[in-house]
Amino acid sequence: MAEKKKSEFLLYKGKPFVRSGNQLYYGNMSDPYVVFMQVLNNRNVSGREIADKVVVQLVTTDADASTEEQIVQNTIRRGLYDAMDVGRTWLARENVI
């Protein structure tokens, strides 16, 4: 029986989800676009720190794009759930997933 190849990244709805500190990336780098999120501040809820204000950007993976062309869309959302929701919508529209 063939073994499944284990992904080295956490997957969210079939796409890689990678976090480094307050920066998060969602999507495949082989696709035309990925979502970049940055947590600007946190709040304390029942003794746990959770993301409060999150910048969400749809960015191109085209290495030849200029700095101005890399960011296709951006917004600020309250909470990681809302940020992921808008990011997933943008990826679905642009990458046709």
Side-chain angles (χ1 to χ4, degrees), residues 25-35 58-65 69-72 91 95:
Y25 287 89
Y26 176 59
N28 288 318
M29 291 305 286
S30 60
D31 289 339
Y33 300 96
V34 295
V35 173
L58 180 69
V59 295
T60 182
T61 56
D62 181 7
D64 297 329
E69 295 172 332
Q70 286 179 342
I71 300 172
V72 178
L91 281 183
N95 288 338

Side-chain angles (χ1 to χ4, degrees), residues 12-83:
Y12 176 73
K13 296 194 177 185
K15 298 278 185 193
F17 185 62
V18 180
R19 180 175 187 161
S20 176
N22 286 336
Q23 297 180 348
L24 303 100
Y25 287 89
Y26 176 59
N28 288 318
M29 291 305 286
S30 60
D31 289 339
Y33 300 96
V34 295
V35 173
F36 168 74
M37 293 172 276
Q38 183 172 16
V39 178
L40 297 179
N41 62 11
N42 296 307
R43 64 185 159 128
N44 192 318
V45 176
S46 300
R48 295 188 139 199
E49 291 289 315
I50 63 167
D52 185 32
K53 192 174 186 182
V54 182
V55 173
V56 184
Q57 296 177 333
L58 180 69
V59 295
T60 182
T61 56
D62 181 7
D64 297 329
S66 68
T67 304
E68 295 84 27
E69 295 172 332
Q70 286 179 342
I71 300 172
V72 178
Q73 287 183 299
N74 64 36
T75 189
I76 296 177
R77 290 290 189 247
R78 297 285 306 242
L80 192 55
Y81 179 82
D82 287 341

Side-chain angles (χ1 to χ4, degrees), residues 4-21:
K4 283 187 175 182
K5 183 179 178 185
K6 186 172 178 158
S7 174
E8 60 187 87
F9 299 114
L10 174 69
L11 296 179
Y12 176 73
K13 296 194 177 185
K15 298 278 185 193
F17 185 62
V18 180
R19 180 175 187 161
S20 176

